[in-house]
Amino acid sequence: MRKLLIFTFFFIAFYLCNSQNTDYYNRMQHVFGNIDKTKVTTGYLKEFGIRFNEVEAYNGVISTNNLVDKTQWQSLYSSLYTMRVGTVAQNMVAPNTVFDNLKTQQAGTTDVLLAAQYYNYQQYKANAYTNGDVTVISDRIYDVAGRNPYDTKTIFGVAPLKKQLQGNTFTFKLPSSLIYSNSGLTISQVQVDFDNGQGYQTIALNTAQSITYTSGGEKELKVKFVYSGGPTLYSHSKIWVDYIAPQGGTTARFNGSGKTTQIITGNPWQGSSTSGLVTVELAPGHTQLTKPLIVVEGFDPDNSFNYNRLINTANVGGINRVINLGSELTLNQAIEDEGYDLVFIDFLNSTDYIQRNAYMVEKVIAWVNTEKNKNNNPNVEENVVLGMSMGGLVARYALRDMEINQETHDTKLYISHDVPHQGANVPLAYQAMVRHLVGEQISLPVFFSLFNVNILDITDIAPDLEDGLALLQSPAAQQMLIYQLQGTGDNVSINNSTLHDSFSTEYSNMGYPQQNGIRNIAIANGSECGTPLGFADNATILDVNEKIDLPYVISILTLGTINALSVNPLKFLSTVVSTNTDIKAQFNLKALPNLQSKNIY
């Protein structure tokens, strides 16, 4: 008999569907229709809602399975929102409003903002039935007069709204407007261990705290909230620091100390133009541009790659990597030793049409040529242009277009660095999953006054879905992707857009730069031995048939899509993916078949 209550909950299912599910509606009404909602004093009942992650783990005590990033933070909040019972919590702010607030506030500052939530909720006691706190008749739960069937639990989580930082010194801030709670308690102290060797430091709300790191890599932030007359709660999260040493060292290398920056705008393409942030750092002894190395960045939709990251990181896309183990010579130092002046082009919008950004690069090349020929410079040399990933497409188009229009680009070498000249490939099954889930909903029917949300879009609990869709639909992505889809939800189909084909035809017909015997060379990040990717045609690349932390899985897929199109990958932070959730998902993703028609998603 003791398992009867758990047995009743077991049959409460939640389905991914496009419209209200009658079976689910009837089941919820049957099970919970007779409970006394006034006993749910917090306004939140765990068994009534949907746990998008393992909410029980985030109890204010640090453990190995409760790291909080922005995605997990949003999952906790969404879970709470679905647990609302009665009228106590009816004014809780909707998840999409809260998530928009997080995004807006972080976008408006260079500080790393922290967001916090502390909520009390209730759940049925494990022995509620055997203790006589409730009765169960025909799978219906009834309260017993004078008995309390609930335990009160806590959800506590604090997350940074940025997870990848570049530099050595950063400012962190916890705005009071980003603290969400139903506790009614007053915060007496907030302390944070920023994993910089200084231990816990007291921070003030709404005040920026400057933090300096002496090394890079993964950093664990530990946060402690002390409440007056209440508990002391802990949370932890992770960030990644792309470490950039302070300027002023004795090593001769590009370090940004003498850089200049300016915005250069290209000519209009199809009625609109775009701009780039151009950074110039001269080689030692040069007083003006003399021997330019023009570097064009790759696909960078979140603008995470910049000049500092180019010169100071050893990751893919960075030049501060050792190329001679004996002397520990870095590529950065080698470029400077050869007397090159570094010119870096940072797209203000890398997702725009490739032609539009190419017109901007043409303007930069023309400007470089003007600058280096000033003052009758006797040591002036021809340019070297290096394009990374999509930047290689832009650079090649720009150089060739200048030639076609009888303009002199004065370039002796074009370097193609891991450039998708024949088109890029993001597995079609991944694209299908993103597009399918954007159009899907979780049915949350209304009955009596128990619940006031009719339907919850999956994008409400996984905003990364919309970012992924916007990325796939951006002009540059469509021009690069060989295989594409269109539509969302159940209306996903093959994309008949001509963007890829028209660009590919134009690009191929233009050919490679030719002016004055320019050399065209290529560098690839793949295997020089032709090692295959490791899976056969129509092989399974993802197979899920279990309870999953859906928002986190989606965020990883979106991040993977960005990395597939860029030579500058974003970092995956180590974490524990929750499988103790109420979301049961079944996904099977396969590679494309070889000249056959087979199911891939």
Side-chain angles (χ1 to χ4, degrees):
M1 294 297 291
R2 123 171 240 196
K3 295 183 179 179
L4 184 56
L5 190 62
I6 297 175
F7 181 78
T8 299
F9 294 147
F10 177 79
F11 282 98
I12 300 176
F14 296 91
Y15 300 96
L16 296 178
C17 57
N18 286 321
S19 59
Q20 185 166 303
N21 185 284
T22 303
D23 291 339
Y24 171 74
Y25 174 95
N26 293 336
R27 190 65 189 170
M28 290 292 285
Q29 184 178 22
H30 180 82
V31 174
F32 288 103
N34 298 287
I35 69 170
D36 181 356
K37 298 181 292 297
T38 62
K39 290 185 177 181
V40 187
T41 55
T42 62
Y44 301 96
L45 179 58
K46 186 189 79 173
E47 289 81 1
F48 190 77
I50 299 176
R51 298 172 308 148
F52 297 111
N53 56 2
E54 189 177 357
V55 298
E56 301 88 346
Y58 301 86
N59 58 2
V61 178
I62 289 177
S63 66
T64 57
N65 65 336
N66 64 2
L67 281 165
V68 186
D69 61 9
K70 182 181 176 183
T71 299
Q72 296 290 5
W73 193 99
Q74 292 177 154
S75 297
L76 289 172
Y77 191 90
S78 295
S79 299
L80 278 164
Y81 194 72
T82 68
M83 295 178 189
R84 296 181 302 153
V85 170
T87 60
V88 175
Q90 291 307 298
N91 293 326
M92 184 182 188
V93 181
N96 59 341
T97 302
V98 172
F99 303 160
D100 286 345
N101 183 37
L102 302 185
K103 183 181 294 186
T104 300
Q105 290 209 37
Q106 183 58 79
T109 180
T110 57
D111 298 328
V112 181
L113 299 185
L114 303 175
Q117 58 178 303
Y118 166 34
Y119 284 90
N120 293 313
Y121 67 95
Q122 285 157 284
Q123 67 180 36
Y124 279 100
K125 297 175 181 177
N127 55 359
Y129 178 79
T130 56
N131 279 354
D133 298 325
V134 298
T135 60
V136 179
I137 303 174
S138 299
D139 295 340
R140 292 179 176 177
I141 302 173
Y142 295 86
D143 292 290
V144 175
R147 305 299 295 264
N148 175 25
Y150 305 116
D151 284 328
T152 299
K153 301 292 183 179
T154 292
I155 283 179
F156 181 70
V158 182
L161 300 187
K162 289 183 179 180
K163 59 184 178 182
Q164 185 164 338
L165 310 178
Q166 300 161 22
N168 57 79
T169 301
F170 314 96
T171 54
F172 292 79
K173 183 188 290 185
L174 175 61
S176 55
S177 59
L178 294 184
I179 300 176
Y180 297 86
S181 178
N182 70 342
S183 71
L185 299 175
T186 300
I187 300 173
S188 64
Q189 187 182 57
V190 177
Q191 292 187 317
V192 182
D193 181 348
F194 293 96
D195 200 7
N196 64 340
Q198 302 299 311
Y200 279 99
Q201 303 177 50
T202 300
I203 66 171
L205 298 183
N206 305 308
T207 302
Q209 182 89 0
S210 180
I211 300 298
T212 298
Y213 292 96
T214 58
S215 65
E218 197 172 75
K219 306 295 181 181
E220 182 180 0
L221 306 185
K222 298 177 182 177
V223 182
K224 177 169 69 173
F225 273 43
V226 180
Y227 286 90
S228 299
T232 297
L233 301 173
Y234 294 83
S235 179
H236 62 147
S237 57
K238 289 187 177 182
I239 58 173
W240 183 275
V241 175
D242 280 329
Y243 180 70
I244 298 174
Q247 298 174 6
T250 57
T251 303
R253 55 180 293 276
F254 290 110
N255 58 22
S257 60
K259 70 180 182 182
T260 60
T261 60
Q262 64 175 302
I263 299 291
I264 292 182
T265 301
N267 288 329
W269 182 82
Q270 292 192 353
S272 297
S273 57
T274 191
S275 302
L277 178 64
V278 181
T279 301
V280 176
E281 187 168 3
L282 301 180
H286 289 180
T287 58
Q288 70 178 79
L289 279 170
T290 301
K291 188 178 180 180
L293 169 58
I294 303 172
V295 179
V296 185
E297 77 155 338
F299 192 68
D300 184 24
D302 62 350
N303 290 319
S304 63
F305 194 78
N306 55 29
Y307 181 73
N308 284 336
R309 187 169 171 190
L310 171 75
I311 64 173
N312 289 297
T313 63
N315 303 318
V316 176
I319 62 174
N320 192 31
R321 56 193 307 144
V322 174
I323 59 175
N324 187 318
L325 296 178
S327 64
E328 295 189 351
L329 177 70
T330 66
L331 180 58
N332 185 324
Q333 181 66 59
I335 292 171
E336 188 174 274
D337 288 347
E338 292 295 322
Y340 282 102
D341 304 311
L342 203 50
V343 180
F344 179 68
I345 303 177
D346 189 354
F347 301 122
L348 295 190
N349 181 11
S350 69
T351 66
D352 207 341
Y353 291 95
I354 291 172
Q355 295 95 326
R356 196 167 287 156
N357 273 313
Y359 280 16
M360 178 271 294
V361 171
E362 291 180 30
K363 282 289 187 179
V364 175
I365 294 173
W367 174 82
V368 166
N369 290 337
T370 298
E371 291 297 308
K372 74 182 183 181
N373 285 296
K374 285 182 176 179
N375 306 314
N376 296 317
N377 187 353
N379 300 312
V380 66
E381 294 192 25
E382 294 175 295
N383 307 320
V384 173
V385 176
L386 183 152
M388 299 188 293
S389 187
M390 186 198 75
L393 301 178
V394 174
R396 173 181 152 185
Y397 188 104
L399 291 168
R400 186 65 185 130
D401 189 62
M402 293 180 77
E403 295 175 355
I404 292 171
N405 290 294
Q406 306 301 312
E407 298 178 47
T408 300
H409 52 61
D410 197 30
T411 300
K412 64 181 179 181
L413 177 63
Y414 161 67
I415 304 173
S416 166
H417 178 201
D418 214 47
V419 178
H421 293 288
Q422 306 299 322
N425 179 27
V426 171
L428 210 55
Y430 281 141
Q431 298 183 47
M433 183 177 180
V434 170
R435 288 183 173 276
H436 174 219
L437 291 179
V438 164
E440 290 293 347
Q441 300 164 322
I442 294 176
S443 177
L444 300 174
V446 178
F447 59 95
F448 303 135
S449 60
L450 280 174
F451 210 89
N452 72 340
V453 176
N454 206 9
I455 287 180
L456 183 68
D457 291 338
I458 292 183
T459 51
D460 289 338
I461 62 167
D464 286 326
L465 269 178
E466 292 183 328
D467 295 337
L469 180 62
L471 176 65
L472 291 172
Q473 294 183 152
S474 67
Q478 289 191 61
Q479 288 180 309
M480 287 189 288
L481 285 173
I482 302 171
Y483 306 109
Q484 302 177 45
L485 299 172
Q486 62 186 3
T488 58
D490 289 338
N491 298 311
V492 177
S493 61
I494 297 298
N495 187 3
N496 294 318
S497 169
T498 60
L499 273 181
H500 171 73
D501 289 345
S502 60
F503 172 75
S504 180
T505 299
E506 178 189 7
Y507 188 70
S508 177
N509 290 339
M510 291 175 74
Y512 284 87
Q514 305 169 14
Q515 194 177 85
N516 297 329
I518 181 175
R519 292 177 62 210
N520 300 301
I521 65 173
I523 304 170
N525 284 337
S527 168
E528 75 278 13
C529 303
T531 303
L533 294 176
F535 56 85
D537 61 282
N538 205 226
T540 296
I541 52 180
L542 179 66
D543 188 26
V544 175
N545 186 13
E546 58 186 11
K547 288 185 177 181
I548 64 169
D549 187 340
L550 185 62
Y552 186 79
V553 170
I554 289 170
S555 70
I556 293 299
L557 282 177
T558 301
L559 185 58
T561 301
I562 294 175
N563 288 349
L565 292 172
S566 175
V567 76
N568 312 309
L570 302 178
K571 295 293 178 297
F572 290 91
L573 292 174
S574 61
T575 187
V576 176
V577 181
S578 170
T579 56
N580 185 12
T581 78
D582 289 324
I583 300 297
K584 180 75 169 3
Q586 182 176 0
F587 299 111
N588 183 256
L589 282 64
K590 292 180 176 291
L592 290 177
N594 184 19
L595 301 177
Q596 298 178 25
S597 178
K598 291 184 178 180
N599 184 56
I600 62 170
Y601 174 70

